[in-house]
Amino acid sequence: MIVGTPLPHESAALHVTGAALFTDDLVGRTRDVLHAHPVQAPHAHARIVRLDPAPAYDVPGVVRVLTGDDVPGVNDAGVRHDEPLFPTEVMFHGHAVCWVLAESLEAARLGAAAVEVDYEPLPSIVDLRDAIAAESYQGNRLLLESGDVEAGLDAAVHVFEGETEMAGQEHFYLETQASLAHVDESGQIFVQCSTQHPTETQEIVAHVLGLHSHDVTVQCLRMGGGFGGKEMQPHGYAAIAALGATLTGRPVRVRLTRAQDVTMTGKRHGFHATWRVGFDADGRLVALDTALTSDGGWSLDLSEPVLSRALCHVDNAYWIPNVRAVGRVARTNKTSQTAFRGFGGPQGMLVVEDVLGRCAPLLGIAADELRRRNFYADGQATPYGQPVRHPERIERAWQQVTESGELARRTAEVAAFNEASPHRKRGLAITPVKFGISFNFTSFNQAGALVLVYKDGSVLINHGGTEMGQGLHTKMLQVAASTLGVPLAKVRLAPTRTDKVPNTSATAASSGTDLNGAAVKDACEQILERLAGVPGDTWEARVHRAYLDRIQLFAAGYYKTDGLHWDPGAMRGNPFKYFAYGVAASEVEVDGFTGSYVVRRVDVVQDVGDSLSPLVDLGQVEGGFVQGVGWLTLEDLRWDGRDGRLATQSASTYKLPSLSEMPEVFNVALLEDATETGAVYGSKAVGEPPLMLAFSVREALRQAAAAFGPPGTSVELASPATPEAVFWAVERARERSLSWTG
Ligand code: MTE
Ligand code: MOS
């Protein structure tokens, strides 16, 4: 079997040699390309009083200025009809009001600078707390309820309440948003785009141009990272390129600079939460009453589904019999916040992990013990009514991390170290992850594939998923070769295109392999069925014989996930095919003078079912974990309160995790004996769940900070827990220490 073999990423050699082609690399291979540059507004909120493109035409090289008057179809870049492609009202600092096309990017930039725009500034809201105070909301209020939360809180022995706030996160994919469009002699539009959702890009381009879907083809070669940031954000840029190509008859390229990308595109949602929680005498959770408000930015795009997933993950791996979780999306004058690895799940889970981390010292129970005591057990269901299958895997992964990570010995070592060290303290924390796999929106859980076998026995596969570095194509090659029973070298994969596989879902929700893998397998099985009984010593001989016998050698595969249902109004159902589980233990050391810290060691056990591609999965676990550490400890988005300008616009001010932030010791194991029946070759999704294992680092930092105070110190830790935030947490713990001893 080729599935299950540790293989390098299918494009690894191309990536490291620079030979891999990304969308914008095609510009150099295309003639007469025009370059696009936006005119970005310098206000958080303003009415456009006058827009005069004429001066731009005096700039040598400028060919065309695109404005709202040029749109033949619908002036909207989204699916919620709240995202004008060319706005008349500026909704955030950096909002593009029009675009200039020119012979060179430099000419386009100068042209954009020459466009004259008069603005009438309007009142703006940039801060999430201000939005809550002003009741500035958008979209539906969501309510998830189970049991009787008031009765649960009344019956609880211990009740605590608090607030939890967490910041968003910039995707910082290496490849910024990019599209290259051209129009052929019959008016057919072809857009090459760095998009996780080619079908939706196609639909938006069509509606902006007033065309049908069959007039537009979108192709995605590969992405230099998406992380959710290319699920919905690429559509408008693709539409600008397509509109420009239509009006000028020349290929048009849109490729954002880093500063444009960071100031114009949506990010992970920051959240604010209030909570009341009740425990029984043994520290078992009896009730959680929580209100989550996400910072949606100026328009909805994916904010409602992100919020929905957040509410569906406030339980994480813990059984809470009585839950009330209310969710709202705030409207602020910021970029439109969007999908980001975990899709709200991390924000929901952070709430309960923060609750447990803060309450453990108040209950007098060690945090690891408190967490474990509350794990789901067989027969229990989530607050939205889905039975939790295989909860014993949480316990199994926990055990494995405890043993392989030698937690008993190291916990004693940490205590001894802290005893002897007044100015540096260590923390060691272990946290679980339970993450639902499938799109909450049931219809998205379908996929297609097209498998072609040529007369010589070589195989070409197409599927609806996109490659963003996660190794989906590698897995699809393995699935096709395994199913057909041919060597990997016989199978090739063609770029993702909407004219090969139509009506695809976004490659998202970590479900790319589950969905497309099953569709590829289905197509291969259809072909095998037709080949059954065809004589021949080899695959090639049988295929050739089959051709002569006039047997169809290609097939369209299809898959839809069975057994899913979801009532979005009631927030109840069975939205997930299964849960992906994982456990991580992290040890940190904090310097009491500065709050700076290092991650000394991390041990992870992740449940990926029967891994299709162990090396790829290992990379996903490591990458996801480190990206989570970035979100929770380093990456600090700052908006200027005066004019709503994003102050952290580049890698010099926005700190990303790099090699130097990698844990000094990083052990990753995949859970064994973990076949997932009903999923492709027994495998499980891996793309997003490991990100949330990074909670172990945050909780270790909390415990290290607590060690600067007296026993029982409950530490409130800001998120991100930057060295500065950790420093203040240490100071607060120390103050408690002073009053306690004094
Ligand atoms: N890994 C890499 N290298 N680059 C990415 O952009 N995106 C993540 C994850 N892993 C991403 C990644 C996100 S947000 C998702 S939803 C999944 O990959 C999507 O791919 P899959 O469904 O094939 O797992
Ligand atoms: Mo991933 S956030 O579902 O693209």
Side-chain angles (χ1 to χ4, degrees):
M1 272 300 213
I2 292 159
V3 293
T5 313
L7 296 173
H9 187 284
E10 111 311 302
S11 290
L14 302 180
H15 289 158
V16 297
T17 57
L21 290 179
F22 295 84
T23 297
D24 202 53
D25 293 324
L26 303 170
V27 172
R29 304 173 165 223
T30 311
R31 283 188 49 182
D32 300 332
V33 176
L34 291 174
H35 305 258
H37 198 288
V39 175
Q40 291 186 264
H43 300 281
H45 192 196
R47 206 176 339 271
I48 299 171
V49 183
R50 186 181 71 98
L51 194 156
D52 183 9
Y57 287 100
D58 297 336
V59 175
V62 168
V63 171
R64 178 90 198 215
V65 181
L66 302 178
T67 70
D69 296 338
D70 294 314
V71 176
V74 184
N75 179 26
D76 199 284
V79 293
R80 299 299 304 260
H81 296 284
D82 64 348
E83 253 180 276
L85 183 61
F86 296 95
T88 50
E89 188 176 327
V90 171
M91 294 299 288
F92 65 97
H93 195 289
H95 204 160
V97 299
C98 66
W99 291 76
V100 177
L101 308 181
E103 301 290 347
S104 69
L105 191 56
E106 182 58 8
R109 188 181 71 81
L110 294 172
V115 171
E116 288 177 9
V117 193
D118 293 339
Y119 301 94
E120 178 195 331
L122 298 169
S124 62
I125 297 179
V126 174
D127 187 72
L128 176 55
R129 280 172 180 271
D130 294 342
I132 294 171
E135 295 184 42
S136 167
Y137 296 119
Q138 52 186 331
N140 291 318
R141 173 180 180 273
L142 303 182
L143 173 65
L144 170 60
E145 243 179 331
S146 71
D148 182 338
V149 89
E150 294 303 338
L153 287 170
D154 283 346
V157 178
H158 307 279
V159 176
F160 305 102
E161 59 177 49
E163 272 182 63
T164 300
E165 254 188 301
M166 65 204 86
Q169 186 177 21
E170 163 58 36
H171 300 87
F172 232 103
Y173 25 62
L174 284 177
E175 178 207 27
T176 54
Q177 304 281 347
S179 281
L180 172 63
H182 63 256
V183 182
D184 76 8
E185 79 294 345
S186 69
Q188 178 82 17
I189 315 281
F190 184 57
V191 187
Q192 308 240 34
C193 180
S194 183
T195 174
Q196 287 174 246
H197 201 168
T199 286
E200 204 168 74
T201 303
Q202 172 195 27
E203 287 164 358
I204 300 289
V205 168
H207 91 198
V208 168
L209 297 182
L211 299 173
H212 297 290
S213 289
H214 72 184
D215 298 317
V216 179
T217 298
V218 173
Q219 168 167 302
C220 177
L221 291 179
R222 56 164 63 80
M223 283 165 275
F227 306 114
K230 293 174 181 168
E231 207 175 317
M232 197 159 264
Q233 305 285 307
H235 309 332
Y237 308 112
I240 293 293
L243 177 63
T246 307
L247 293 176
T248 62
R250 292 173 59 177
V252 172
R253 161 218 194 194
V254 174
R255 204 267 306 165
L256 301 186
T257 63
R258 179 62 61 185
Q260 287 162 358
D261 197 293
V262 172
T263 54
M264 290 162 71
T265 70
K267 309 172 194 322
R268 184 190 293 285
H269 294 75
F271 271 63
H272 174 273
T274 56
W275 45 265
R276 280 191 303 155
V277 65
F279 296 89
D280 71 10
D282 298 325
R284 287 201 174 75
L285 286 156
V286 290
L288 176 65
D289 185 14
T290 183
L292 273 62
T293 309
S294 73
D295 185 345
W298 72 281
S299 72
L300 270 179
D301 72 65
L302 290 162
S303 294
E304 282 172 307
V306 164
L307 180 65
S308 185
R309 185 168 277 269
L311 294 182
C312 287
H313 284 79
V314 283
D315 57 332
N316 190 13
Y318 313 110
W319 189 58
I320 318 174
N322 304 290
V323 171
R324 178 167 57 209
V326 181
R328 298 255 30 189
V329 179
R331 188 194 297 280
T332 56
N333 296 104
K334 288 180 181 157
T335 52
S336 179
Q337 314 319 15
T338 192
F340 195 139
R341 208 171 193 169
F343 204 82
Q347 293 95 320
M349 282 157 62
L350 188 140
V351 174
V352 72
E353 292 302 338
D354 199 51
V355 166
L356 294 177
R358 280 158 70 172
C359 294
L362 304 173
L363 292 164
I365 302 175
D368 58 340
E369 175 54 31
L370 181 65
R371 290 193 162 88
R372 185 178 189 175
R373 212 173 272 184
N374 281 290
F375 285 168
Y376 275 107
D378 246 331
Q380 293 172 338
T382 62
Y384 44 91
Q386 172 155 359
V388 177
R389 202 160 55 93
H390 294 321
E392 74 285 354
R393 290 190 185 188
I394 310 172
E395 180 65 32
R396 212 145 52 82
W398 186 272
Q399 273 300 337
Q400 197 174 323
V401 168
T402 304
E403 280 158 31
S404 66
E406 302 174 279
L407 293 200
R409 174 180 68 74
R410 287 169 54 219
T411 302
E413 273 176 21
V414 164
F417 175 88
N418 288 348
E419 191 70 32
S421 167
H423 302 305
R424 299 184 73 83
K425 302 283 186 189
R426 291 181 182 165
L428 171 57
I430 176 168
T431 57
V433 168
K434 165 183 133 290
F435 189 78
I437 300 298
S438 298
F439 290 94
N440 271 65
F441 182 59
T442 305
S443 304
F444 284 166
N445 297 291
Q446 59 174 318
L450 184 62
V451 174
L452 316 178
V453 177
Y454 292 98
K455 280 183 277 184
D456 65 354
S458 63
V459 181
L460 187 68
I461 63 174
N462 267 277
H463 62 87
T466 55
E467 176 63 40
M468 58 196 98
Q470 86 277 36
L472 176 62
H473 285 351
T474 311
K475 290 181 173 177
M476 295 306 96
L477 289 166
Q478 289 178 271
V479 165
S482 293
T483 310
L484 293 172
V486 301
L488 203 56
K490 282 269 171 228
V491 187
R492 228 180 200 287
L493 197 144
T496 315
R497 296 174 60 119
T498 55
D499 58 355
K500 291 282 169 46
V501 179
N503 310 326
T504 56
S505 299
T507 306
S510 303
S511 60
T513 296
D514 283 7
L515 298 176
N516 297 289
V520 167
K521 190 159 177 278
D522 174 48
C524 292
E525 282 167 350
Q526 291 176 41
I527 294 168
L528 280 186
E529 222 166 273
R530 294 186 209 132
L531 285 176
V534 176
D537 302 338
T538 62
W539 163 258
E540 292 77 8
R542 287 173 65 212
V543 164
H544 195 68
R545 184 71 254 163
Y547 167 74
L548 295 175
D549 291 348
R550 294 185 294 171
I551 289 173
Q552 187 187 340
L553 285 172
F554 57 97
Y558 180 76
Y559 174 76
K560 62 168 190 268
T561 318
D562 285 331
L564 304 181
H565 57 93
W566 178 244
D567 177 345
M571 291 285 289
R572 290 200 75 77
N574 237 49
F576 305 123
K577 167 96 174 145
Y578 56 81
F579 295 102
Y581 301 110
V583 171
S586 296
E587 182 180 332
V588 302
E589 184 174 317
V590 169
D591 179 292
F593 294 115
T594 62
S596 66
Y597 48 80
V598 287
V599 181
R600 288 166 48 80
R601 174 170 170 178
V602 174
D603 291 85
V604 168
V605 173
Q606 181 68 31
D607 168 19
V608 300
D610 292 337
S611 177
L612 291 179
S613 206
L615 214 49
V616 165
D617 286 350
L618 184 68
Q620 286 292 290
V621 176
E622 291 177 346
F625 184 91
V626 172
Q627 195 164 38
V629 171
W631 172 48
L632 292 169
T633 70
L634 291 170
E635 301 179 37
D636 201 357
L637 288 167
R638 296 285 178 101
W639 276 269
D640 190 320
R642 289 164 306 181
D643 59 1
R645 178 181 169 274
L646 182 64
T648 46
Q649 296 195 5
S650 69
S652 60
T653 45
Y654 185 75
K655 181 98 179 71
L656 293 159
S658 60
L659 275 180
S660 53
E661 278 77 28
M662 282 288 281
E664 291 169 6
V665 179
F666 196 177
N667 302 316
V668 177
L670 305 178
L671 189 71
E672 285 176 9
D673 300 322
T675 306
E676 182 64 30
T677 48
V680 63
Y681 287 110
S683 67
K684 266 182 156 177
V686 68
E688 295 163 288
L691 181 130
M692 290 148 269
L693 295 169
F695 289 133
S696 57
V697 172
R698 181 165 188 269
E699 294 307 308
L701 287 170
R702 187 198 305 279
Q703 291 176 22
F708 286 93
T713 299
S714 171
V715 167
E716 285 181 34
L717 190 57
S719 190
T722 57
E724 183 184 344
V726 171
F727 173 78
W728 292 116
V730 167
E731 282 291 288
R732 286 190 297 270
R734 278 200 185 115
E735 278 163 24
R736 271 205 72 206
S737 195
L738 288 178
S739 55
W740 186 68
T741 50

